[in-house]
Structure formats: structure tokens, C-alpha cells
Amino acid sequence: MNHHGRNDQGSTLNDMENGIVSSYEDDHHQNIINGNNNNKGESYGLLGGKSGCRSPQNMSSSLLRKKSDPILVSHVRFQMLRAFLTNLQEVILGTKLAVLFPAVPLAVAADFYHFGRPWIFALSLLGLTPLAERVSFLTEQIAYFTGPTVGGLLNATCGNATELIIALFALQQKKIDVVKYSLLGSIISNLLLVLGTSLLCGGLANLKKEQRYDRKQADVNSLLLLLGLLCHILPLMFKYAAAPGIYVGNYTLQLSRASSIFMLLAYMSYIFFQLKTHRQLFDAQEVEEEEEKAVIGFWSAFSWLVGMTVIIAVLSEYVVGTIEAASNSWGISVSFISIILLPIVGNAAEHAGSIIFALKNKLDISLGVALGSATQISMFVVPLSVIVAWIMDIRMDLDFNILETSSLAFTIIITAFTLQDGTSHYMKGVILFLCYIIIAACFFVQKTPLNNAALFNFGPELTPSSSGVLTA
């Protein structure tokens, strides 16, 4: 028995899993368990992790994880093989969504053997579901070694990695409508579907309890979402305010690019606000008995994260390249697939975790999942896509057209009204969920084809449709 109370076999296995961990970190974890945390600069939130390391998205995804059994690999003779199998067990088999991992090689095989393109799309979409959850797990593992600030930055940039990668590949193929649709769908899905079902299920499960949450965090996210909405509305209103016959495409594009820069600055301010000056607003208030700690080493987590990102990039390319074929084969519009199906499948793990926390009457975490993801998409992924398109000489603006922008405006406004009093009940969830169903029905019946990207993404001297101004 060593000084941590573990047997020699368990100690050796943990050393292989976690790499070299300093004695300071071990003592630090022990102090937390014993209630002797004297570090004034760090507060510890739900599940025992550092509040800066574990975002609500991480906590939500953690509910779908499985505890691994070290005995399964402890009898392997070769140390390097044993370490590899331990990491493989934690990363691949450590999630309840592992059953979907076979979709990844099947999607690659379907593309290699030229199966039907709708099959490639469906398999790629299924394969992205566990990969998105595993990216959240790996960023959390890295955060245990880097500290709360770097961990918070990782969560702020990698929390919606799947949506960002899909957007970048759609930009590369000059499918601007797919970029706009998928990002718009992520915001609407988080605010209406995720939040709505969480409030509905949580309200039904806690009928005899008063459900309350901290309004301060919700207010900050609502303000950022309203700022993002303003940046979407102004380019749209710009073209309607112009005199007849005046082409305002270039002005709309310039306004969108300038707005995107300010949106990114606002998001950076939000990260500083969240991680430094007002961290207490975002810290979970409850502490579980069990202390969470890293289960794989830093370099192992980093290597797996790079590998997972590459696989997500491959599947994202498949999704973007086959989305129109799937639309034609299934008789469903590209707008419905991008706005409704992609966000549901891509964020299934976080969605399920948010509902589970709501059932446990922990609405602060559920709100953190929904509002945090929506804010990250609106204020980081959307403007970053505009800036990247600018670098690639692609004319993407913030004009999402009248129907899409109106749906976004209605979504943000009704969400802000829903969260204004700091209390919840199942009727609020019913209303938000029904709003999502109605919006989904709207895009289901809409059959507007995609713009022909080949005609309008090469330079400024183009037809008016190049900026999307005349496509509303």
C-alpha cells in the first residue's frame, strides 16, 4: 500500500494513464477531498472539478460517460501496449455513445466503394455524434493539467468544434447557405429545443418543488445574443432601406465584416469576464462527494484530440459534400436538414445531459449548456466564419435573409422573456418546445434551392446575388 492508499497494481496503472503527475497536484486533490482548499484563486464547482476547467457542456456530456475497469488491461505484459489499451478503453469505450463509433469506418468505406451518397451522409452524421462528445471529454482532460484559465479557453474555443469544422468545409466548397443554415440551426436548437425540453422534463419531474436558477448568468448570455441579433438585423435592414435600383451588396458585406470583428471582441471580453473578473457568476454552487481527476495523461489527451479532430474533419467533408444528394433522395429541403437535423445529431450528447440535469433540479447547469452553446455559436463561430470567408475571398455576410433572421429574433426574444424571473415550471418548456416545432415545420415546407455558389463567390465585381442581397 503506497502513501495514497492504493495498491501497487492500481498505482502503476494510474501512473501509466496519467503520465507524470507532480506531488503538488496529488496533495492538492487530497486537500480538496478533505475540505482544506486554501487556494484563494481557485473555486471548485459541481463534480469536484475546477470551475474554470469544467463548463456546463463538459458536465452535461459527462453524464453519458462510463467508468472503465482497469482490471481488463492490467494483465497485459508489455507496458507500452498496456498504456495504449488503457487510453483506448478510456477514450473509445468510455462513453455510452460508443455503439455509434462503427458508423465512422462505415462512412469511410461507403465513400471509398462509392455507395449511395445519402448513405454516406447518414453514416457521417451518426459518426459525428460520439466524436463531438469525445472532444468535450478530451478538452476536459487537458484542462486538468493546464489549469482553470487555459481550460476555460479550451472550452470557449472547442465547445462547438463540430459546427465550426462543418462551417469551414462548407466555406471551402463555397456553400454559404449551408454555413448560415447550420449555424442558425445550432442557435435555435439550443435555445428552443434543448432549453425547452430541459424545462419541460425538469418541471414535470419536480412538480412539488420550486425550480429556481441564477438569473445573472442568463442575463449576460441574453445580452450577448441580443448583440449578435443586432449584427444580423442591420445588414438585412440595410438592403430594404436602400432606394430602389441601388445595389448595396458591397456595403452590406463591409458592414458584416466590421460587425464580425466587433462580435469577436465582445466574445473575448465575455471570456475575460467569465474566467477572471466575474468567475463567481459562472461557478457551480454544489460539490459532489467524489473528486474528478484526469484519467489519461496530457500528451495522450492531446494526441487523441488531434486524431479526433482529423476524423471530424473527414466526416464533415462527407456531410457537406453529400447534403444536397441526401436532400434530393429524401425529398427534404437542404434548409431543413441544415437547420434541424444537423444540430440535433451533432449535439445529442449535450442535449441529453442537459435534460438529465434538469430532471435532477439543477437548472443552472442546463441553462449553462443551452445558453453557453448558443452564445458561443452566435458570437464566436458565426463571426469567425465571416472573417475566414473574407480571408478566402468568399463573400459571406451576416444577412441571413428575412425568414431566417426573423426566426432567430423571435427565438432570442422569447427565450429572454422566459428566463426573466429566475423561476421555472413545465409550461415554459412546453411553449419553447412548441415554438421549435413550428419553426421546424416552417423550414420543412420551404423548398428554396441553394444558390449556385459557383456563380457568386469569386471577387467583388459580380452580379447582385453575390452578396445574398437579392436572395431573400
Side-chain angles (χ1 to χ4, degrees):
M1 188 74 67
N2 62 13
H3 71 285
H4 290 287
R6 298 174 298 187
N7 57 38
D8 293 337
Q9 184 182 27
S11 176
T12 302
L13 185 58
N14 280 337
D15 289 341
M16 288 189 300
E17 287 179 340
N18 299 328
I20 300 175
V21 181
S22 66
S23 60
Y24 164 79
E25 186 172 340
D26 286 338
D27 294 339
H28 188 62
H29 285 312
Q30 191 64 39
N31 286 337
I32 298 302
I33 296 174
N34 295 332
N36 298 324
N37 181 22
N38 295 321
N39 291 311
K40 297 179 181 179
E42 295 174 353
S43 56
Y44 282 75
L46 189 66
L47 301 179
K50 295 179 183 177
S51 61
C53 295
R54 305 207 68 189
S55 68
Q57 290 89 340
N58 290 129
M59 297 178 187
S60 177
S61 298
S62 67
L63 294 178
L64 297 178
R65 296 170 191 169
K66 298 189 300 184
K67 293 290 184 180
S68 61
D69 186 2
I71 298 178
L72 296 177
V73 297
S74 60
H75 299 294
V76 178
R77 295 182 58 184
F78 300 103
Q79 181 176 350
M80 292 185 61
L81 179 60
R82 185 162 62 247
F84 173 76
L85 292 177
T86 298
N87 282 278
L88 188 68
Q89 183 179 0
E90 292 289 351
V91 176
I92 302 299
L93 302 179
T95 174
K96 298 175 183 177
L97 298 174
V99 66
L100 297 178
F101 270 118
V104 176
L106 288 176
V108 176
D111 179 70
F112 182 80
Y113 290 105
H114 305 290
F115 286 2
R117 295 174 70 81
W119 280 102
I120 300 175
F121 177 84
L123 290 171
S124 300
L125 208 56
L126 288 177
L128 286 172
T129 302
L131 290 172
E133 190 276 329
R134 290 289 83 186
V135 167
S136 175
F137 164 75
L138 292 169
T139 54
E140 178 185 327
Q141 295 300 302
I142 294 175
Y144 281 115
F145 296 95
T146 59
T149 301
V150 178
L153 291 174
L154 282 173
N155 290 322
T157 53
C158 299
N160 293 95
T162 303
E163 289 88 345
L164 178 58
I165 294 174
I166 290 177
L168 293 179
F169 274 99
L171 281 177
Q172 184 184 30
Q173 299 185 24
K174 299 181 174 62
K175 295 183 178 180
I176 298 178
D177 283 336
V178 173
V179 178
K180 292 182 176 180
Y181 286 152
S182 62
L183 298 181
L184 173 74
S186 293
I187 300 173
I188 294 177
S189 174
N190 277 293
L191 295 182
L192 296 183
L193 178 62
V194 181
L195 186 58
T197 51
S198 297
L199 297 183
L200 172 59
C201 296
L204 293 176
N206 299 276
L207 285 174
K208 298 181 180 180
K209 300 179 183 178
E210 183 181 25
Q211 291 191 292
R212 304 189 66 86
Y213 51 86
D214 188 0
R215 281 184 52 194
K216 297 176 182 177
Q217 180 179 351
D219 289 344
V220 174
N221 284 280
S222 297
L223 287 173
L224 285 168
L225 289 170
L226 287 170
L227 174 59
L229 177 61
L230 175 66
C231 294
H232 287 290
I233 289 180
L234 289 180
L236 177 66
M237 295 295 100
F238 199 90
K239 67 182 183 184
Y240 287 107
I246 301 299
Y247 173 56
V248 296
N250 288 333
Y251 305 115
T252 301
L253 185 62
Q254 295 169 9
L255 174 62
S256 298
R257 289 170 175 173
S259 298
S260 296
I261 295 174
F262 289 117
M263 291 168 73
L264 289 176
L265 290 176
Y267 187 73
M268 292 170 60
S269 301
Y270 167 68
I271 297 303
F272 185 77
F273 179 87
Q274 180 181 17
L275 298 181
K276 288 294 183 183
T277 62
H278 289 71
R279 181 188 296 179
Q280 69 278 4
L281 298 182
F282 299 88
D283 286 344
Q285 300 298 319
E286 303 174 47
V287 179
E288 296 287 338
E289 295 181 359
E290 181 180 1
E291 163 69 6
E292 293 284 331
K293 58 183 179 181
V295 295
I296 61 176
F298 172 82
W299 289 110
S300 296
F302 182 79
S303 301
W304 279 103
L305 181 61
V306 172
M308 291 286 184
T309 304
V310 172
I311 298 174
I312 290 176
V314 172
L315 296 185
S316 298
E317 186 175 13
Y318 291 164
V319 167
V320 174
T322 59
I323 187 171
E324 293 174 271
S327 172
N328 295 330
S329 176
W330 299 342
I332 303 175
S333 65
V334 172
S335 60
F336 181 82
I337 293 177
S338 302
I339 295 175
I340 306 301
L341 294 185
L342 284 181
I344 291 177
V345 176
N347 295 320
E350 289 182 4
H351 294 186
S354 176
I355 294 174
I356 294 173
F357 274 118
L359 292 173
K360 296 179 179 180
N361 201 19
K362 297 176 180 178
L363 289 185
D364 283 322
I365 301 178
S366 296
L367 264 64
V369 173
L371 296 178
S373 293
T375 301
Q376 190 174 87
I377 292 292
S378 177
M379 300 301 295
F380 176 68
V381 181
V382 171
L384 183 62
S385 299
V386 174
I387 299 300
V388 172
W390 186 8
I391 296 173
M392 298 170 63
D393 198 24
I394 297 175
R395 298 171 63 88
M396 176 180 173
D397 56 28
L398 293 174
D399 177 11
F400 279 27
N401 295 331
I402 186 70
L403 178 61
E404 290 81 0
T405 305
S406 299
S407 299
L408 177 63
F410 176 81
T411 296
I412 294 174
I413 291 172
I414 194 173
T415 301
F417 272 104
T418 300
L419 302 177
Q420 65 180 341
D421 62 350
T423 63
S424 178
H425 45 74
Y426 73 88
M427 195 60 199
K428 290 185 176 181
V430 170
I431 298 301
L432 292 180
F433 180 75
L434 291 180
C435 288
Y436 184 78
I437 296 300
I438 294 170
I439 291 177
C442 172
F443 289 106
F444 181 80
V445 299
Q446 184 192 33
K447 302 296 183 181
T448 304
L450 289 180
N451 292 327
N452 188 353
L455 296 179
F456 64 82
N457 283 314
F458 299 98
E461 298 298 326
L462 301 168
T463 61
S465 63
S466 62
S467 64
V469 171
L470 302 181
T471 60

